[in-house]
Amino acid sequence: MKAKKTRVRFAPSPTGMLHVGNARTALYNWLFARHTGGEYLLRIEDTDLDRSEARHETQLMEDLRWLGLEWDEGPGVPGPHAPYRQSERLGIYREHTERLLREGKAYRCFCTAEELEAERERAVAMHRPQVYSGKCRGIDREESAMRARLGEPFAVRLQIPDHPLRFHDMVRGAVEFASETVSDPILVRSGSGKSGGVPVYNYVVTVDDALMEITHVIRGDDHLSNTPKQVAVYEAFGWKVPEFAHLSTILGSDRERLSKRHGATSIASFREMGILPEALVNYLALLGWGAEGGTRETFTEEELTREFKLERVTASPAVFDWGKLHWLNRHYMKATEISRLAELAWPYFERAGLLPGQDGAPEKVSAWLEAVIAVFLPSLDQLDQLPGKAAFVFRFDVEAARANVENAEVLGTEIAGKVLAAFAARVSGAAAGSVTGEQFKAWMNEIKAETGAKGKDLFHPVRIALTGAHSGPEFDKVIPVIEAGSGLELPVHVASVRERVERFVKQQG
RNA sequence: GGCGCCAUGGUGUAACUGGUUAACACGCCGCCCUCUCAAGGCGGAGAGUUCGGGUUCGAUCCCCGAUGGCGCUACCA
């Protein structure tokens, strides 16, 4: 007998940005499907008409594609189970609700919000589980239909069976809920307003998962307590209950559920910061999963696909760690082609007014940008830090350099004056933009011999005169970049070594 | 209040069906390299596995309880 093909889905609701928790859920679904040779589909859960927005749906799909998590079926990818947007499946749900009503497995509930609230308060006071009393269960069929016809508002509830509700969870094992602790769930909302008659999430998710032949439901563990209600829906229809996998929550460093409060956590914001998608994917994979043996940290997509097993996913919550994400991002930035980094980083420079528009810019400029990036790459966590790190290349501020207290200390010494004078003398003889790393090295050796200065005494004054700071990348990397930049037509003029030294010495007055 | 899930260094994970000096990575500290900051190389500290019982010759691992965290307890998803 051939094994049934696995089918999984990622089912976000378009009520906001795609954030790390959901992205990790999508990734695990995708990896599981790829690993098992199954199918991964995307379904949009927009039954909450008040909060769902089309722009969020667009953003969501863009973010998923950016992560490389393409779906096999879903919006934009036709499949046998279309449509994949719940707001377009209302007819399907209605038919199913009618069936349940007809078969007596669901019933109309005419209770008002006030009545239900009073019931809840009573339950809490009595230290009892807060479950619906089932008051409307016993209403006679004819009467129920009549009241509905007369326009009395009603919701539709499913009758929970009186046996324990069980299911299997691939990350938590067997899970069981006593039926007395599970309320008869609302299937369809009451009221005549916008959402009246619209079925609720817990119901439609089940109908869709069954109809779309989902074999493994992989989702956040905030749904764990809802699962018994969904199991009851499967049972009411006589459908096979799928396998579940509830993923633990991602927490902030304060062990609270990760949210906007913890800073930028949307996938879009990671992209804007200049985090590489492969770094984020690798990081998310590691947040709740470890490969067998547990000694490897970096995985290509193929390796991840090969080694990812749902059974190895941790059940305990994980704390999101920026440091490790940055470490992975550094790893991947070093591993990728510099041309790609230049392509990605250009907009940051453009926005800062340092580079012209990317389209139609001369080839020389992008080649130079690549060289600039190579200089700063070792100290880079994310691409958007680049303009800041490279600021001194573009804007050389003599006054600020001199005003800096630590710099002033270095420059105040007698030996610094000698070194700078000797350096200036040599630079003034060179054509603008012509200084090479080799040339610079030779000069420094001469100056060392001439002034007797060495080490910091020798280099720091020069570094300050050239970059405005006494720390930064190696000279043999910085100088060629400065010189090459000085010959380019950019929105901001890059001062050459000679210009820098001349302006610096002149300021000395 | 009720129900459920979870618990290995600061963080993420590892430890074959119970037997390891409890491993790896991030971070941290130090050394080397170096004009400096990073990067890189090398080394180190840091958990006896939340606590208490039990089962066992032997428990991170199995069972029970406690504690703590989180989730659900909506006509949100």
Side-chain angles (χ1 to χ4, degrees), chain A residues 308-326:
Chain A
F308 184 84
K309 290 193 179 68
L310 215 37
E311 293 85 350
R312 293 191 60 83
V313 169
T314 331
S316 58
V319 174
F320 187 85
D321 179 14
W322 272 100
K324 189 141 185 180
L325 207 213
H326 277 150

Side-chain angles (χ1 to χ4, degrees), chain A residues 104-121:
Chain A
K105 293 183 173 143
Y107 59 92
R108 294 187 188 84
C109 175
F110 299 94
C111 293
T112 62
E114 297 71 45
E115 287 174 285
L116 296 173
E117 185 52 38
E119 263 190 20
R120 268 192 292 272
E121 278 169 21

Side-chain angles (χ1 to χ4, degrees), chain A residues 134-351:
Chain A
K135 191 157 114 191
C136 295
R137 270 187 195 175
I139 296 176
D140 176 80
R141 275 235 205 158
E142 304 293 310
E143 182 193 337
S144 169
M146 173 68 78
R147 284 168 73 175
R149 242 190 325 268
L150 291 175
E152 188 173 343
F154 66 89
V156 177
R157 281 186 194 264
L158 180 76
Q159 182 157 341
I160 287 290
D162 59 5
H163 60 78
L165 296 156
R166 300 177 224 267
F167 56 93
H168 184 260
D169 188 300
M170 289 178 84
V171 346
R172 293 159 209 264
V175 185
E176 178 180 317
F177 286 78
S179 83
E180 311 84 71
T181 65
V182 183
S183 230
D184 282 358
I186 296 277
L187 264 25
V188 182
R189 297 173 172 93
S190 70
S192 48
K194 191 179 174 188
S195 52
V198 177
V200 303
Y201 165 83
N202 268 309
Y203 174 45
V204 298
V205 77
T206 311
V207 172
D208 285 343
D209 285 343
L211 262 28
M212 293 181 182
E213 301 178 77
I214 299 303
T215 58
H216 299 259
V217 174
I218 307 168
R219 71 215 322 187
D221 71 354
D222 46 338
H223 293 294
L224 192 57
S225 303
N226 289 147
T227 307
K229 294 178 185 172
Q230 298 178 6
V231 167
V233 174
Y234 283 104
E235 289 182 359
F237 281 113
W239 291 329
K240 184 174 187 293
V241 178
E243 194 69 23
F244 290 92
H246 286 97
L247 274 22
S248 63
T249 321
I250 296 178
L251 309 173
S253 52
D254 53 1
R255 302 219 136 247
E256 299 245 0
R257 177 180 219 151
L258 198 66
S259 68
K260 301 100 243 155
R261 226 170 28 70
H262 296 92
T265 54
S266 72
I267 298 309
S269 68
F270 286 105
R271 181 178 50 216
E272 282 155 22
M273 283 178 230
I275 299 286
L276 261 21
E278 60 269 39
L280 188 54
V281 163
N282 196 148
Y283 179 67
L284 257 21
L286 255 24
L287 209 55
W289 168 84
E292 213 169 318
T295 60
R296 290 188 43 223
E297 305 290 323
T298 58
F299 297 87
T300 62
E301 212 167 84
E302 297 73 55
E303 291 169 330
L304 231 33
T305 299
R306 191 170 56 240
E307 303 197 28
F308 184 84
K309 290 193 179 68
L310 215 37
E311 293 85 350
R312 293 191 60 83
V313 169
T314 331
S316 58
V319 174
F320 187 85
D321 179 14
W322 272 100
K324 189 141 185 180
L325 207 213
H326 277 150
W327 174 74
L328 279 164
N329 201 43
R330 288 195 293 265
H331 171 85
Y332 284 104
M333 285 194 296
K334 283 171 193 160
T336 197
E337 312 80 51
I338 199 113
S339 58
R340 176 185 172 211
L341 296 181
E343 183 77 17
L344 292 172
W346 194 306
Y348 301 119
F349 285 95
E350 188 181 337
R351 239 172 283 157

